[in-house]
Amino acid sequence: MWSGLAARWLLFILLCCAPLAQAMESVSAAQLPPEARATLHRILHDGPFPYARDGIVFGNYEHRLPQYPRGYYHEYTVKTPGRHNRGARRIVCGPRLKCYYSGDHYRTFRRIRD
């Protein structure tokens, strides 16, 4: 019985007393770096994509985007000037082109406004 009561108290604390999540910042497409605008243009026009991993499923393992079933989000590389690999910048999109920009390899996201 004690473990059930303890579990209920823990659930209460997590649901009622945890700090509320902050609203996600947004950015207009015009405010994105030029390379991100180019990637967004390719997404809107179904390619072509320069990286083999562009369009793969994004797992949202960090839980920094709204939670949806696996397969909802897809990720695309944003070229980083001076880097010879994929770098850290990404655009992640869900259906209806609800897209997010990360300049730091998924640590933070900003919702891309139209």
Side-chain angles (χ1 to χ4, degrees):
M1 177 161 173
W2 174 251
S3 63
L5 180 60
R8 283 186 288 221
W9 270 108
L10 179 60
L11 182 61
F12 171 79
I13 291 168
L14 290 173
L15 293 176
C16 299
C17 305
L20 295 174
Q22 295 180 4
M24 182 179 294
E25 289 184 35
S26 65
V27 62
S28 70
Q31 293 172 306
L32 291 171
E35 300 83 8
R37 289 194 307 266
T39 299
L40 193 57
H41 178 82
R42 284 193 284 280
I43 293 166
L44 293 171
H45 294 91
D46 295 322
F49 299 104
Y51 297 92
R53 295 187 54 83
D54 284 343
I56 65 168
V57 170
F58 175 72
N60 195 24
Y61 301 121
E62 297 84 0
H63 305 287
R64 293 200 170 96
L65 295 178
Q67 288 298 119
Y68 289 100
R70 181 162 173 74
Y72 182 88
Y73 294 111
H74 295 266
E75 69 173 270
Y76 302 87
T77 305
V78 175
K79 184 168 177 51
T80 303
R83 297 294 304 255
H84 298 296
N85 59 17
R86 291 176 68 210
R89 303 188 306 175
R90 301 287 188 275
I91 291 178
V92 176
C93 295
R96 289 176 261 151
L97 297 177
K98 189 178 220 179
C99 298
Y100 303 85
Y101 174 73
S102 176
D104 54 15
H105 205 257
Y106 319 124
R107 274 184 265 144
T108 61
F109 283 97
R110 291 186 287 166
R111 171 87 160 86
I112 302 173
R113 297 187 312 266
D114 294 330

